[in-house]
Amino acid sequence: MKILLIDDEQHSREAMLWFLKHQNHEVTECANGAEALEKFSVDDYPMVLSDIQMPGLSGIELAKAIKKLPNSWQTDIVLFTGYADLNSAVTALRAGVYDYLTKPVNPEELASVIERVAEHQALLRENKNLTERFHDEVHAATEETRRELVQIKQIVAKSIIGSVGIFSESMQAIFHQAGQLHADRSIPVLIEGETGTGKEVISKLIHYGSSFDPLSTTPFVDINCAALAPTLFESEFFGYEAGSFTGSMAKGAKGKFDLAHNGTLLLDEIGEIPSDLQGKLLRVLQEKEFYRVGGLKKIKTNIRLICATNIPLEQSVEQGTFRKDLYFRLKVAHIVIPPLRKRKEEILPMATMFLQEFSRHKKKQFATIAPQTARILEEYNWPGNVRELRNIIEYATFAYNDKELKPKHILGLLQQKHEQTSSQPDRRNVLELPIPDQGYPLKKYTEDVIRKILEAHNNNQSATANFLGISRRALSYRLEEMRNKNEP
């Protein structure tokens, strides 16, 4: 082991030097502390063996100076003195020395100390190497995990949003607007468009951004207002405290505003919100805070609110079913997605994109669309918009396998759609109702209209709801109410 020996008494220093060399140690000797400190600063000494009482720099002062150096952990300091007392021993230990010996130094005691120092230094250096290797390996593993996480998030974001293509100027403008809104979470957004036009896709583009930010960890929470019973709206929106109502969870529950904190909340079919809750929603938007059902504590909220509807909300305002002040509060940013029939230039590029996507996933050969098929697709009215186009292409790739999408692959599907659309009855026939002599309450008249239209659509609730201009959930709720009323 390399040892730095310091002693101002020559005879004492030579005696220890002789002993240490006979023990096969590599020894550098110094006569004073200043010389030792200079040698220590340019070389590595696992052990420093020094006298305490020396002119100039004492052994304790030398120990303190060494401990201030960056690599002092690589050295154990052992001091010896001919004037041993308790105070000097305590001072030496406080200076960070490894051990303390008295003169004349006992050879066996010195050999034992050297052996302990060697073991201690071996452990320190091994631990240092392991720690450095561990940090390097952790850093490498962390970096690899981070890269994988970025890739996974990109894949997940794209899979959540789905295939997105910009094939018209109108959609390009909408995508650009979505990108601008992504950068400012404080602006409420109202998205209007027929069923199947892609309102949810635009909502997710606003949340994730057009570049699908892989480092984004903010939540995206959506709720279909048409799928909620009127009594559940408030608890679903704002949550509830324990014991708020019969059947509630023992610990209470968070609402969608809680879950979407610092992220995005999509209220789909916003027009279905009951009028009493519309006022509460307006207050939350203005004050940025709310109460849980049965709660006494105000809860701060920080969300990006996006509302979507397939019925023009202005029409609901005119009919008195939607608050005008809430409408204008939600309409800070307004996006209207045109139906597919008004952007026919998108039909073929979008159909090709879907065809290649599904062919790849289903391992089919489809690559192009035949000219005759292209004409059929362009001439069709697409009442179900992009969703209907996607569904037809997906089923065609499931049912057939060819290099080219031909008319026979889609005609049957389009014929079914055409028959369902053309089978809708004339409104004049649907509304022919007998007028009783004894009065006709408005509620009874409404129920009879619903029954007639449902019967004319062969009990197809989706077609009936679409004909009446309401959501399927709203129709189901009304039918359930009618059934309960007629039960004995």
Side-chain angles (χ1 to χ4, degrees):
M1 182 169 60
K2 287 182 67 175
I3 300 176
L4 182 62
L5 174 63
I6 310 103
D7 194 345
D8 61 319
E9 296 181 4
Q10 183 176 354
H11 294 297
S12 172
R13 187 174 71 249
E14 288 178 348
M16 279 194 284
L17 177 64
W18 178 85
F19 174 77
L20 293 172
K21 286 190 173 181
H22 275 74
Q23 294 292 318
N24 297 319
H25 297 296
E26 183 182 344
V27 184
T28 299
E29 57 177 316
C30 299
N32 58 71
E35 180 186 357
L37 191 59
E38 184 178 346
K39 289 184 181 293
F40 183 87
S41 63
V42 296
D43 207 347
D44 176 24
Y45 294 98
M47 180 175 177
V48 172
L49 184 59
S50 175
D51 190 9
I52 292 181
Q53 300 293 337
M54 294 186 296
L57 198 66
S58 70
I60 291 177
E61 291 170 336
L62 174 63
K64 290 179 179 179
I66 289 174
K67 287 299 179 183
K68 291 180 181 179
L69 297 176
N71 292 326
S72 61
W73 67 270
Q74 300 180 112
T75 299
D76 284 326
I77 303 171
V78 177
L79 298 181
F80 56 85
T81 182
Y83 308 96
D85 59 64
L86 182 60
N87 287 336
S88 63
V90 170
T91 304
L93 293 174
R94 284 178 177 173
V97 303
Y98 181 79
D99 211 338
Y100 179 88
L101 301 173
T102 57
K103 283 185 178 180
V105 176
N106 185 301
E108 291 183 359
E109 189 176 355
L110 178 59
S112 176
V113 169
I114 293 173
E115 186 177 349
R116 293 201 308 273
V117 168
E119 291 177 356
H120 184 233
Q121 281 296 310
L123 288 172
L124 283 176
R125 292 168 190 245
E126 182 180 4
N127 182 62
K128 178 71 172 177
N129 291 334
L130 289 173
T131 301
E132 288 178 349
R133 284 211 321 264
F134 174 76
H135 286 313
D136 290 342
E137 290 177 5
V138 167
H139 177 74
T142 302
E143 184 62 23
E144 179 64 25
T145 302
R146 193 193 71 82
R147 285 195 297 268
E148 290 177 357
L149 184 60
V150 167
Q151 293 174 353
I152 290 171
K153 284 188 174 182
Q154 286 176 330
I155 293 170
V156 169
K158 290 181 180 180
S159 66
I160 290 174
I161 294 176
S163 301
V164 177
I166 306 175
F167 304 112
S168 68
E169 291 184 4
S170 60
M171 290 307 295
Q172 185 175 7
I174 289 174
F175 273 60
H176 177 70
Q177 187 178 3
Q180 290 179 313
L181 292 169
H182 170 70
D184 191 341
R185 297 177 55 256
S186 65
I187 298 178
V189 183
L190 176 62
I191 304 176
E192 294 184 349
E194 293 182 4
T195 300
T197 51
K199 297 185 293 296
E200 187 175 358
V201 170
I202 299 301
S203 302
K204 289 176 179 177
L205 278 173
I206 294 172
H207 174 74
Y208 289 101
S210 56
S211 59
F212 310 111
D213 181 9
L215 298 180
S216 173
T217 56
T218 58
F220 180 91
V221 178
D222 62 325
I223 180 170
N224 186 351
C225 300
L228 291 176
T231 54
L232 296 179
F233 268 98
E234 191 169 357
S235 60
E236 282 291 326
F237 275 29
F238 308 125
Y240 57 87
E241 298 294 347
S244 299
F245 52 86
T246 304
S248 62
M249 294 178 63
K251 295 182 179 180
K254 291 184 176 182
K256 296 299 188 290
F257 274 84
D258 281 301
L259 299 177
H261 186 65
N262 290 330
T264 299
L265 176 62
L266 169 62
L267 301 182
D268 199 8
E269 303 297 348
I270 182 70
E272 298 294 333
I273 295 181
S275 56
D276 60 328
L277 189 61
Q278 292 176 22
K280 295 180 180 180
L281 178 59
L282 178 62
R283 187 174 66 249
V284 172
L285 294 177
Q286 292 173 339
E287 300 178 4
K288 307 294 184 184
E289 57 188 16
F290 63 91
Y291 290 98
R292 292 199 180 106
V293 176
L296 301 175
K297 179 182 176 182
K298 283 185 177 180
I299 299 172
K300 296 290 184 182
T301 181
N302 178 25
I303 62 167
R304 181 210 315 273
L305 184 65
I306 302 176
C307 298
T309 175
N310 60 4
I311 300 173
L313 213 53
E314 189 173 3
Q315 177 182 321
S316 300
V317 172
E318 292 173 355
Q319 294 172 352
T321 59
F322 200 86
R323 293 179 59 129
K324 182 182 291 187
D325 49 1
L326 177 59
Y327 170 66
F328 286 112
R329 186 68 182 84
L330 297 176
K331 197 185 172 184
V332 177
H334 190 204
I335 296 176
V336 179
I337 306 176
L340 189 56
R341 63 183 173 274
K342 292 187 178 180
R343 42 191 173 104
K344 288 185 175 293
E345 69 273 24
E346 292 194 45
I347 294 175
L348 285 183
M350 202 173 293
T352 302
M353 180 181 70
F354 292 146
L355 182 70
Q356 293 173 351
E357 175 191 349
F358 291 125
S359 295
R360 184 171 61 255
H361 290 166
K362 300 179 188 301
K363 296 181 171 38
K364 298 297 180 73
Q365 301 179 52
F366 286 110
T368 59
I369 298 175
Q372 305 94 318
T373 311
R375 285 195 297 273
I376 294 171
L377 293 174
E378 288 179 320
E379 291 171 1
Y380 184 62
N381 200 38
W382 298 109
N385 293 290
V386 178
R387 183 182 295 131
E388 183 182 4
L389 173 61
R390 180 184 175 88
N391 291 345
I392 284 178
I393 299 297
E394 181 177 14
Y395 189 82
T397 55
F398 163 75
Y400 303 97
N401 189 12
D402 204 335
K403 292 182 180 180
E404 192 176 51
L405 187 68
K406 297 173 181 176
K408 65 179 182 179
H409 300 144
I410 64 167
L411 276 177
L413 300 171
L414 292 180
Q415 182 64 28
Q416 292 175 13
K417 296 287 183 181
H418 177 71
E419 289 175 354
Q420 290 175 3
T421 304
S422 62
S423 66
Q424 291 186 357
D426 185 89
R427 290 174 184 251
R428 291 170 299 178
N429 295 331
V430 172
L431 296 178
E432 287 181 358
L433 296 170
I435 301 177
D437 297 331
Q438 310 252 338
Y440 206 168
L442 180 60
K443 188 173 183 181
K444 176 73 166 58
Y445 173 80
T446 303
E447 291 175 354
D448 289 344
V449 168
I450 292 174
R451 289 192 187 94
K452 280 283 187 179
I453 296 175
L454 183 64
E455 181 182 350
H457 286 85
N458 298 317
N459 290 319
N460 186 320
Q461 292 190 20
S462 296
T464 303
N466 190 43
F467 183 83
L468 291 171
I470 62 176
S471 69
R472 188 181 184 282
R473 181 64 187 85
L475 176 63
S476 297
Y477 176 75
R478 182 63 66 88
L479 293 174
E480 181 68 23
E481 189 179 56
M482 291 162 59
R483 279 194 293 271
N484 293 336
K485 176 182 174 183
N486 294 326
E487 286 179 358

